Amino acid sequence: MSWYAQGQAAVVVARSASDMDTMELLGNAVESAARDQSPVVLDASGVTFAGSMFLTRLLRAKHQVSLRVVPSQELLQILELTGAVTLLDVRATVTDAFLWHGTGH
């Protein structure tokens, strides 16, 4: 898990499978990024597996920071299946996530 600043926002990059061991890393990266830059874009386009703990962490982060999520196809399917896609600000690309006008997905 890593993050970097890009203009007025921070980008947190999540890759590979997300499990219990990576949840603390995700939370720490989002918190650090939000502390230094707000809003936060979560580039999860490389996530190959995400369980319920990952979804819980996303929903918690949504209430703590201005968050946009760029999911992988696998993560998008989980978000759609669980209905979480309607609760999160989901974008197709990181570039789209930097368009902060409006609230749709």
Side-chain angles (χ1 to χ4, degrees):
M1 215 69 54
S2 63
W3 74 273
Y4 61 92
Q6 183 167 329
Q8 298 277 327
V11 179
V12 174
V13 181
R15 296 282 182 252
S16 303
S18 293
D19 56 23
M20 282 184 62
D21 296 333
T22 60
M23 289 305 93
E24 186 174 349
L25 293 173
L26 175 63
N28 291 343
V30 169
E31 288 173 19
S32 293
R35 201 172 18 250
D36 292 340
Q37 298 279 328
S38 187
V40 174
V41 173
L42 174 61
D43 178 2
S45 60
V47 170
T48 57
F49 171 80
S52 61
M53 291 187 73
F54 188 84
L55 293 177
T56 299
R57 181 61 75 170
L58 286 181
L59 294 171
R60 186 177 305 145
K62 172 192 171 279
H63 292 291
Q64 297 170 336
V65 300
S66 178
L67 179 70
R68 292 214 170 157
V69 179
V70 180
S72 63
Q73 190 59 40
E74 293 83 358
L75 179 55
L76 181 59
Q77 289 174 344
I78 292 167
L79 295 176
E80 290 173 341
L81 189 65
T82 62
V85 71
T86 63
L87 302 173
L88 297 167
D89 192 349
V90 176
R91 300 295 167 136
T93 67
V94 172
T95 301
D96 290 344
F98 281 102
L99 304 175
W100 293 98
H101 309 294
T103 57
H105 44 272

